Amino acid sequence: MIITMAHGSGGAFTSELIDEIFIKEFDNETVKELEDCAVIPGSKKIAMTTDSFVVKPIEYPGGDIGRLCICGTVNDLLMRGAKAKYITCGFIIEEGADSETLKRIVHSMAETAKEAGVIIVAGDTKVIDGNGGIMINTAGVGFVEEGLDINSRNLTAGDLVILSGNLGDHHATILGSRMNITNSIKSDNAPLTDIVSNLLKEKINIHTMRDVTRGGLATVLTELSRSSRVDIKLKEDKIPVSNAVRDFCGLLGLDPLYMGNEGKCIIVVPKNEAGKALEVIRNSKYGENAVIIGEVKEMAEDKACVYIETEIGGKRILDVLQGEGLPRIC
């Protein structure tokens, strides 16, 4: 079946689309009520986020836009220590889209939601003129334990910075797919639920967490250093990059420090807890390649900065990404 404008009319074709694709996969009592809004249990302290996903191609090695939108939304909630619980999704479907492709994407969303421990409770579908593309907007809700304060202003001199795994896999996958470059690289899109929940369960004193998405590691750490008014020193030989991605970067002149990821995060903890935190992360799903990559320092000059100590003893100042980090990875 090819999606037509009639599927966005609100009539029989719309009902067929909802029943045969969305409700079939997002099978829970709340979403099956088909109300204008979901009524769900809440708590006193709520975390909320929203995101939109326009990646091309919509299916790629290791994932698709469906898995991506769940991972991206869940990870944003997790980075504040929230337990992700509910997600809504709005589909913008261009006329000419193949319903079989849509079915695969919706199934992928459902499977990833189960893995992440979240429930898709509401959604919306619009069909517009176009060339068969699919875009997804999400909103996510999670609950935060009272007293938990994980934010970008908490970095303290002496803290150590842990990166949960290799850089650049997702960025290289999307770019390689768009350029028809054949290689073994697969996207890292993954929900980081296990890593965060295990750290919280072990009562690790997490100062800051941030998922390393658009703009890459250099941008994320620069933003954090400025928020906390501290310097961050990185060790070049500690930055984990797979050989395949390193070769890909060499071919196209890319820097892994500025490449986007969709299943990696940095965790900043006090030095005396870093060893335990690293062990917990490495024993969690998607954290086996975690490594301590740097240290938080007192701000040496008037402006906070991130710098990397090179393997030959040099010093390279990092900044936020300038311009567009092509291709669009989410």
Side-chain angles (χ1 to χ4, degrees):
M1 178 178 70
I2 299 300
I3 306 298
T4 69
M5 294 296 287
H7 287 97
S9 67
F13 281 16
T14 301
S15 296
E16 179 184 355
L17 192 67
I18 291 170
D19 291 339
E20 295 301 318
I21 295 181
F22 297 112
I23 298 300
K24 185 176 179 181
E25 292 289 351
F26 305 157
D27 185 14
N28 62 75
E29 293 305 313
T30 301
V31 77
K32 285 194 295 187
E33 290 176 351
L34 294 177
E35 296 284 1
D36 284 345
C37 71
V39 177
I40 49 182
S43 80
K44 293 181 180 178
K45 197 171 182 182
I46 297 176
M48 293 187 65
T49 189
T50 186
D51 209 340
S52 298
F53 299 84
V54 296
V55 67
K56 293 180 182 179
I58 58 175
E59 295 178 291
Y60 46 80
D64 53 59
I65 194 173
R67 179 170 177 81
L68 180 66
C69 75
I70 299 298
C71 294
T73 307
V74 166
N75 291 344
D76 282 348
L77 294 170
L78 290 170
M79 294 303 101
R80 295 299 303 275
K83 181 177 181 181
K85 186 66 176 177
Y86 303 116
I87 286 182
T88 69
C89 52
F91 287 80
I92 309 298
I93 304 171
E94 293 182 348
E95 190 173 23
D98 186 344
S99 65
E100 292 303 314
T101 302
L102 182 60
K103 285 178 182 178
R104 290 195 299 272
I105 288 168
V106 172
H107 178 73
S108 179
M109 289 177 67
E111 291 299 306
T112 308
K114 290 176 186 176
E115 179 185 0
V118 295
I119 303 171
I120 299 170
V121 295
D124 181 53
T125 303
K126 293 291 187 295
V127 179
I128 62 173
D129 291 329
N131 299 305
I134 297 173
M135 294 153 280
I136 305 174
N137 171 266
T138 59
V141 175
F143 302 142
V144 183
E145 293 291 335
E146 291 293 337
L148 192 62
D149 180 31
I150 299 172
N151 69 62
S152 60
R153 299 181 301 277
N154 284 347
L155 275 69
T156 304
D159 288 349
L160 296 186
V161 180
I162 302 172
L163 176 62
S164 67
N166 297 345
L167 294 177
D169 296 303
H170 183 70
H171 194 128
T173 297
I174 300 303
L175 183 56
S177 295
R178 292 180 69 170
M179 297 180 69
N180 293 316
I181 297 174
T182 301
N183 54 41
S184 61
I185 303 170
K186 293 184 178 181
S187 171
D188 66 340
N189 49 193
L192 302 174
T193 310
D194 200 46
I195 289 176
V196 176
S197 61
N198 287 341
L199 287 169
L200 295 176
K201 189 185 304 179
E202 292 296 324
K203 301 191 182 303
I204 300 296
N205 180 18
I206 303 168
H207 284 178
T208 300
M209 288 190 289
R210 186 68 66 86
D211 54 339
V212 187
T213 53
R214 286 181 294 173
L217 180 70
T219 298
V220 167
L221 290 181
T222 299
E223 291 172 347
L224 292 177
S225 74
R226 292 174 181 175
S227 292
S228 292
R229 294 186 59 79
V230 294
D231 291 348
I232 300 176
K233 173 186 175 182
L234 304 178
K235 289 277 194 177
E236 185 177 48
D237 60 352
K238 297 296 183 182
I239 306 296
V241 181
S242 72
N243 289 333
V245 170
R246 198 178 299 278
D247 291 344
F248 185 87
C249 290
L251 177 67
L252 296 177
L254 300 173
D255 185 344
L257 293 173
Y258 288 96
M259 293 174 71
N261 313 268
E262 289 293 346
K264 301 298 186 301
C265 66
I266 60 102
I267 303 102
V268 184
V269 299
K271 187 173 185 177
N272 63 343
E273 296 196 38
K276 182 179 180 182
L278 183 62
E279 181 182 3
V280 170
I281 296 166
R282 284 179 172 173
N283 287 324
S284 301
K285 191 173 185 179
Y286 304 120
E288 64 274 8
N289 294 318
V291 63
I292 296 171
I293 61 169
E295 181 180 4
V296 178
K297 299 281 191 179
E298 295 282 358
M299 191 170 66
E301 300 180 6
D302 291 338
K303 186 178 180 181
C305 77
V306 178
Y307 61 94
I308 188 165
E309 190 176 89
T310 68
E311 294 184 68
I312 60 173
K315 180 179 178 181
R316 174 189 171 197
I317 304 295
L318 302 179
D319 203 344
V320 297
L321 176 68
Q322 302 296 319
E324 178 67 57
L326 296 173
R328 186 64 60 88
I329 64 160
C330 62

